[in-house]
Protein backbone atom coordinates (compact mmCIF):
# COMPACT_ATOMS: atom_id res chain seq x y z
CA UNK A 1 0.00 0.00 0.00
CA UNK A 2 1.17 3.52 -0.76
CA UNK A 3 0.19 6.11 1.85
CA UNK A 4 -0.21 9.69 0.65
CA UNK A 5 0.07 12.95 2.58
CA UNK A 6 -0.28 16.47 1.14
CA UNK A 7 2.30 19.11 2.02
CA UNK A 8 4.02 22.02 0.30
CA UNK A 9 7.43 23.07 -0.99
CA UNK A 10 8.51 26.67 -0.83
CA UNK A 11 9.53 28.58 -3.94
CA UNK A 12 10.17 32.08 -2.68
CA UNK A 13 7.03 32.91 -0.73
CA UNK A 14 4.82 30.63 -2.82
CA UNK A 15 3.69 27.27 -1.50
CA UNK A 16 3.73 24.61 -4.21
CA UNK A 17 1.70 21.40 -3.61
CA UNK A 18 3.77 18.30 -2.88
CA UNK A 19 2.49 14.79 -2.30
CA UNK A 20 4.47 12.63 0.12
CA UNK A 21 4.09 8.99 -0.94
CA UNK A 22 5.33 6.28 1.42
CA UNK A 23 5.64 2.59 0.64
CA UNK A 24 6.84 -0.19 2.94
CA UNK A 25 7.86 -3.31 1.01
CA UNK A 26 9.98 -6.43 1.35
CA UNK A 27 13.63 -5.90 0.54
CA UNK A 28 16.89 -4.66 1.90
CA UNK A 29 16.38 -2.75 5.15
CA UNK A 30 16.77 0.86 4.11
CA UNK A 31 14.83 4.11 4.07
CA UNK A 32 15.18 6.13 0.89
CA UNK A 33 13.83 9.61 0.26
CA UNK A 34 13.56 10.45 -3.43
CA UNK A 35 12.19 13.42 -5.36
CA UNK A 36 15.01 16.03 -5.32
CA UNK A 37 15.38 16.44 -1.54
CA UNK A 38 17.97 18.83 -0.12
CA UNK A 39 20.18 17.93 2.86
CA UNK A 40 17.55 18.95 5.45
CA UNK A 41 14.96 16.71 3.79
CA UNK A 42 17.45 13.84 3.50
CA UNK A 43 18.12 14.23 7.24
CA UNK A 44 14.38 13.84 7.86
CA UNK A 45 14.99 10.10 7.69
CA UNK A 46 16.96 10.21 10.96
CA UNK A 47 14.59 12.60 12.74
CA UNK A 48 11.53 10.59 11.69
CA UNK A 49 13.06 7.25 12.74
CA UNK A 50 14.09 8.67 16.14
CA UNK A 51 10.73 10.37 16.73
CA UNK A 52 8.73 7.25 15.86
CA UNK A 53 10.99 5.10 18.06
CA UNK A 54 10.57 7.57 20.96
CA UNK A 55 6.80 7.40 20.41
CA UNK A 56 6.85 3.60 20.75
CA UNK A 57 6.41 2.65 17.10
CA UNK A 58 8.80 -0.07 15.97
CA UNK A 59 9.86 0.15 12.34
CA UNK A 60 9.83 -3.13 10.44
CA UNK A 61 12.94 -4.65 8.91
CA UNK A 62 11.76 -3.73 5.41
CA UNK A 63 12.49 -1.30 2.61
CA UNK A 64 10.84 2.09 3.13
CA UNK A 65 10.60 4.38 0.12
CA UNK A 66 9.47 7.99 0.46
CA UNK A 67 8.72 9.83 -2.77
CA UNK A 68 8.22 13.60 -2.78
CA UNK A 69 6.16 14.30 -5.89
CA UNK A 70 6.48 15.98 -8.29
CA UNK A 71 9.99 14.62 -8.68
CA UNK A 72 11.31 17.56 -10.71
CA UNK A 73 10.51 20.19 -8.05
CA UNK A 74 13.40 20.94 -5.63
CA UNK A 75 12.36 20.43 -2.01
CA UNK A 76 14.07 21.92 1.00
CA UNK A 77 13.50 22.35 4.70
CA UNK A 78 12.75 20.31 7.77
CA UNK A 79 8.99 20.90 7.50
CA UNK A 80 8.73 17.62 5.54
CA UNK A 81 9.39 15.60 8.76
CA UNK A 82 5.79 15.43 9.96
CA UNK A 83 4.19 14.52 6.62
CA UNK A 84 6.84 11.81 6.13
CA UNK A 85 6.21 10.44 9.64
CA UNK A 86 2.43 10.45 9.18
CA UNK A 87 2.77 8.78 5.77
CA UNK A 88 5.01 6.10 7.27
CA UNK A 89 2.58 5.53 10.14
CA UNK A 90 -0.27 5.18 7.64
CA UNK A 91 1.73 2.81 5.42
CA UNK A 92 2.40 0.64 8.49
CA UNK A 93 -1.28 0.68 9.46
CA UNK A 94 -0.63 2.52 12.75
CA UNK A 95 -3.10 5.26 11.74
CA UNK A 96 -5.93 5.23 9.17
CA UNK A 97 -4.60 6.51 5.84
CA UNK A 98 -7.95 7.98 4.81
CA UNK A 99 -7.89 10.33 7.83
CA UNK A 100 -4.96 12.21 6.26
CA UNK A 101 -6.66 13.06 2.98
CA UNK A 102 -8.19 16.37 4.03
CA UNK A 103 -5.04 18.01 5.37
CA UNK A 104 -1.96 19.86 4.17
CA UNK A 105 0.69 18.89 6.72
CA UNK A 106 3.91 20.67 7.68
CA UNK A 107 6.05 20.20 10.77
CA UNK A 108 9.56 19.51 11.98
CA UNK A 109 10.01 16.66 14.44
CA UNK A 110 12.25 16.65 17.48
CA UNK A 111 14.01 13.39 18.32
CA UNK A 112 11.61 12.79 21.21
CA UNK A 113 8.61 12.90 18.87
CA UNK A 114 7.41 16.39 19.71
CA UNK A 115 6.68 18.86 16.92
CA UNK A 116 8.96 21.88 16.58
CA UNK A 117 7.80 25.26 15.25
CA UNK A 118 8.23 25.78 11.52
CA UNK A 119 9.50 29.15 10.31
CA UNK A 120 7.24 30.63 7.65
CA UNK A 121 4.35 28.27 8.38
CA UNK A 122 1.85 31.13 8.19
CA UNK A 123 2.92 31.73 4.58
CA UNK A 124 2.04 28.17 3.63
CA UNK A 125 -1.50 28.39 4.99
CA UNK A 126 -2.97 30.24 1.97
CA UNK A 127 -2.40 27.09 -0.11
CA UNK A 128 -4.58 24.99 2.21
CA UNK A 129 -8.03 26.09 0.94
CA UNK A 130 -7.08 25.21 -2.63
CA UNK A 131 -6.27 21.68 -1.49
CA UNK A 132 -9.56 21.20 0.41
CA UNK A 133 -7.62 21.18 3.65
CA UNK A 134 -8.81 21.72 7.18
CA UNK A 135 -6.82 23.98 9.47
Amino acid sequence: MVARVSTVAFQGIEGVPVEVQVMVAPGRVVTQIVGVPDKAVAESRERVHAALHASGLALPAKKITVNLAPADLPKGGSHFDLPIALGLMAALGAIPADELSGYVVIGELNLDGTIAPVAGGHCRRPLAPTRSARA
Side-chain angles (χ1 to χ4, degrees), residues 43-100:
E43 291 171 351
S44 286
R45 170 182 43 242
E46 302 307 321
R47 288 188 299 274
V48 167
H49 281 202
L52 293 180
H53 175 75
S55 300
L57 183 66
L59 294 178
K62 295 187 175 189
K63 180 179 181 179
I64 299 168
T65 304
V66 177
N67 181 38
L68 305 175
D72 61 345
L73 175 70
K75 291 135 197 117
S78 58
H79 68 279
F80 288 98
D81 291 1
L82 185 57
I84 290 170
L86 290 172
L88 181 52
M89 291 171 70
L92 294 172
I95 61 173
D98 59 335
E99 292 291 322
L100 300 171

Side-chain angles (χ1 to χ4, degrees), residues 14-15 24 32 45-46 49 51 56 64 68 85 87 89-91 93 103 118-119 122 126 134-135:
E14 297 293 318
V24 178
Q32 285 189 298
R45 170 182 43 242
E46 302 307 321
H49 281 202
I64 299 168
L68 305 175
M89 291 171 70
Y103 296 93
V118 175
H122 63 284
R134 296 173 281 194

